[in-house]
Amino acid sequence: MKAEIIAVGTEILTGQIVNTNAQFLSEKLASLGIDVYYHVAVGDNEGRLFSTIETASKRSDLVILCGGLGPTEDDLTKQTLAKFLGKELVFDPTALAKLDTFFASRPDYVRTPNNERQAQLIAGSIPLQNRTGLAVGGLIEVDGVTYVVLPGPPSELKPMVNEQLVPHLTTGEQLFSRVLRFFGIGESQLVTILADIIEKQSDPTVAPYAKTGEVTLRLSTKAKDQASADAKLDVLEKEILSRHTLDHQPLHELFYGYGDDNSMAKVAFDLLKGTGKTITAAESLTAGLFQATLADFSGASSIFAGGFVTYSLEEKSKMLSIPAQELEQHGVVSHFTAQAMASQARKLTGSDYGVSLTGVAGPDSLEGHPAGTVFIGLATPNGVDSVQVNIAGRSRADVREIAVLHAFNLVRLAVLNGENLV
C-alpha cells in the first residue's frame, strides 16, 4: 500500500507551526507495514487543495489529510474532498451530540452555525470520533483509494489515529526494525563496505545514519510477527558483521550495541553495574562531561562515588598529587599526564577503574599539539595505559563529546576483556 500525507494549513507554509503530524503518521504507518511515498503541504485554498487531492488519488492507495476540520471559513478540507468525490456532507449523530453537550455545559459560549461543520463528515464515511476535540474525522474508500481526514492539532490527531484509525489500517504485516551501533568507523567507509548489500536491498532494508562520533544501521523488514522478522534480520546482521573495514579490521569489533535509545555510555555503564565495578575520572579538556554523562543514568551512585575536574596544570598537581615539575617536563597534553591522572584518580577514590581525559579542544593549538589532539588514560587493577586520538576538523563541543565516547569505549573493552589494558 502506497500512502500519501497531505498537511492542510497556510500556517505550515509560512513557518508559523512545524508539521509534527507528518513525522508521527509516517512512523505509525511504517509500524503497520504501510509505505509512505509522499509528504505534501498545501494552504487553505480550495483550488490548490482540490488539485492536490486529484494528484494524490492517481498515485497513492491511501491519502491522509490533516487539518482544516474546524469551524472557520478557511477550514475546508472535508468540503473540498466531498466536492472532489462528488458526495454530500452529512451530520454524524455522535459528533453532533458531543457538540450539544459541549455548548450546554458552557453557557457563556455562543453557538454559531459554523460550529455545526465540525460534526459533519462525507456521506458513506466511517466516522473517526474525536476524544479530545469536537471535529469528527472520517475514512472512506472510493475507486480503490482510501481517503482519511484528521484534525490538525496533534492533541486531537494522535488519539484519533491510535484509537480510531489504526484498527482500520492493520494489514496483517508490520514493520520490524533493529538498530546496530558502530564506533570507530565513519558513515562513508561503512557504506562502502556494505555497498553491495545496500544496492540490492529489498526486504530487509538497510539505512545508515551518521551521528556525532558514531554510525548506526537500521535494519527493517515486514513480517507477521517478531519471530518471523528476527529470522530475516538475523541473517542480514550476520552478513554485515562478517565484513571487514578497508584496513582489514573485522567489522564486528566496531559493533557495540543495539537500539535507538542506547549509547556507548549506557553500554559501558551497564557493564560496570553488572559486574559490580566502580569508576572515577579526572578530566581536563572535557571539564566533567564524562562524569556528568555517568550521572545521567539511574543508579549511577552505585558505581561512581566522585571524581576530579583539573583544568590547569596547578590543579592537576594539587588535586591529584602529581608533581608539578613532572607535568611541566612532559606537558599536560601527553601520555604521561593522561596515565598519571587516571592512576591517581583511581588511587585517591579507591575505584576499580580510573579514566582521564586531557588534550586540546581548540580552536588554538597547545604545547605544539593541534586542536583535536586528545590523550585518554585508563587505570585498572592490572596497571595503567593511555591512547592518543586525533579528532581533527571538529568544533570544541564535538571534540569533547567524541573524546568522551572514546573514553567510554575504553572502559567497555576493559570490562569485556577482564580488565586487560588498552
Side-chain angles (χ1 to χ4, degrees):
M1 179 181 284
K2 295 182 291 186
E4 180 161 347
I5 299 169
I6 301 173
V8 183
T10 302
E11 65 274 16
I12 295 173
L13 297 177
T14 58
Q16 292 174 276
I17 65 170
V18 177
N19 183 18
T20 58
N21 289 334
Q23 179 186 10
F24 167 77
L25 285 168
S26 289
E27 291 178 344
K28 183 62 65 175
L29 293 174
S31 72
L32 298 173
I34 299 172
D35 299 313
V36 176
Y37 279 30
Y38 303 98
H39 280 189
V40 179
V42 60
D44 301 309
N45 177 279
E46 181 180 344
R48 288 193 290 272
L49 178 55
F50 189 98
S51 176
T52 300
I53 296 171
E54 185 176 35
T55 299
S57 71
K58 297 174 181 177
R59 65 187 184 186
S60 301
D61 308 306
L62 173 64
V63 179
I64 300 179
L65 298 102
C66 311
L69 305 190
T72 62
E73 289 303 316
D74 60 354
D75 291 315
L76 40 74
T77 299
K78 283 184 288 192
Q79 292 82 351
T80 306
L81 180 59
K83 181 177 180 180
F84 173 77
L85 297 177
K87 293 183 176 293
E88 298 293 325
L89 287 172
V90 298
F91 284 102
D92 174 64
T94 302
L96 195 57
K98 185 172 185 179
L99 204 64
D100 292 338
T101 301
F102 175 84
F103 282 99
S105 64
R106 293 167 174 80
D108 294 338
Y109 282 51
V110 177
R111 184 169 180 168
T112 57
N114 59 350
N115 289 125
E116 313 299 313
R117 300 169 60 171
Q118 297 177 93
Q120 290 180 318
L121 74 166
I122 297 168
S125 295
I126 298 172
L128 304 176
Q129 299 302 332
N130 191 337
R131 177 169 59 82
T132 57
L134 297 176
V136 65
L139 178 151
I140 186 170
E141 183 177 344
V142 178
D143 296 332
V145 180
T146 300
Y147 301 88
V148 177
V149 291
L150 300 170
S155 61
E156 298 180 27
L157 179 142
K158 290 181 179 181
M160 184 180 290
V161 169
N162 289 329
E163 300 165 11
Q164 302 284 319
L165 179 60
V166 166
H168 294 288
L169 298 181
T170 303
T171 63
E173 284 195 332
Q174 302 177 54
L175 185 73
F176 295 88
S177 295
R178 179 183 301 175
V179 174
L180 311 183
R181 305 185 74 97
F182 296 84
F183 180 76
I185 187 171
E187 181 186 21
S188 59
Q189 184 179 169
L190 186 57
V191 168
T192 300
I193 295 167
L194 305 176
D196 59 317
I197 294 176
I198 295 173
E199 183 177 350
K200 68 181 182 183
Q201 65 179 327
S202 55
D203 181 32
T205 60
V206 182
Y209 298 91
K211 299 179 180 292
T212 302
E214 62 176 305
V215 184
T216 65
L217 291 178
R218 180 178 295 277
L219 317 184
S220 301
T221 186
K222 292 179 182 177
K224 292 185 177 180
D225 52 48
Q226 187 70 59
S228 301
D230 286 342
K232 291 192 283 184
L233 296 177
D234 286 346
V235 172
L236 180 57
E237 179 182 330
K238 184 177 180 181
E239 170 63 18
I240 290 171
L241 297 183
S242 70
R243 300 293 177 93
H244 289 71
T245 66
L246 302 182
D247 57 359
H248 309 296
Q249 183 178 6
L251 196 56
H252 69 81
E253 293 182 357
L254 303 176
F255 165 72
Y256 76 84
Y258 297 96
D260 272 324
D261 298 328
N262 207 354
S263 67
M264 179 66 76
K266 184 65 165 60
V267 170
F269 175 84
D270 288 342
L271 284 170
L272 288 166
K273 194 171 183 180
T275 55
K277 301 295 184 180
T278 57
I279 191 169
T280 188
E283 301 180 64
S284 183
L285 86 156
T286 47
L289 183 58
F290 180 93
Q291 296 166 74
T293 304
L294 273 179
D296 283 338
F297 303 119
S298 176
S301 60
S302 65
I303 67 162
F304 173 62
F308 308 85
V309 175
T310 57
Y311 225 70
S312 69
L313 183 151
E314 292 75 18
E315 290 305 314
K316 288 178 176 65
S317 175
K318 182 171 65 175
M319 295 178 68
L320 296 170
S321 299
I322 305 171
Q325 61 271 27
E326 293 185 4
L327 292 172
E328 293 171 354
Q329 177 185 348
H330 295 280
V332 294
V333 184
S334 64
H335 283 292
F336 170 84
T337 298
Q339 292 179 25
M341 289 171 65
S343 183
Q344 285 299 101
R346 176 178 178 271
K347 176 182 176 181
L348 292 170
T349 60
S351 301
D352 296 304
Y353 294 93
V355 172
S356 67
L357 296 107
T358 184
V360 190
D364 300 322
S365 60
L366 178 65
E367 298 180 347
H369 296 287
T373 304
V374 179
F375 290 87
I376 305 172
L378 178 65
T380 78
N382 294 331
V384 62
D385 206 343
S386 58
V387 298
Q388 178 181 347
V389 295
N390 298 301
I391 312 168
R394 298 281 194 153
S395 67
R396 280 180 59 87
D398 281 353
V399 169
R400 297 170 71 239
E401 184 176 347
I402 295 170
V404 168
L405 286 175
H406 277 282
F408 277 114
N409 190 44
L410 291 180
V411 174
R412 177 183 72 90
L413 294 174
V415 178
L416 289 174
N417 296 330
E419 299 176 354
N420 291 329
L421 296 175
V422 295

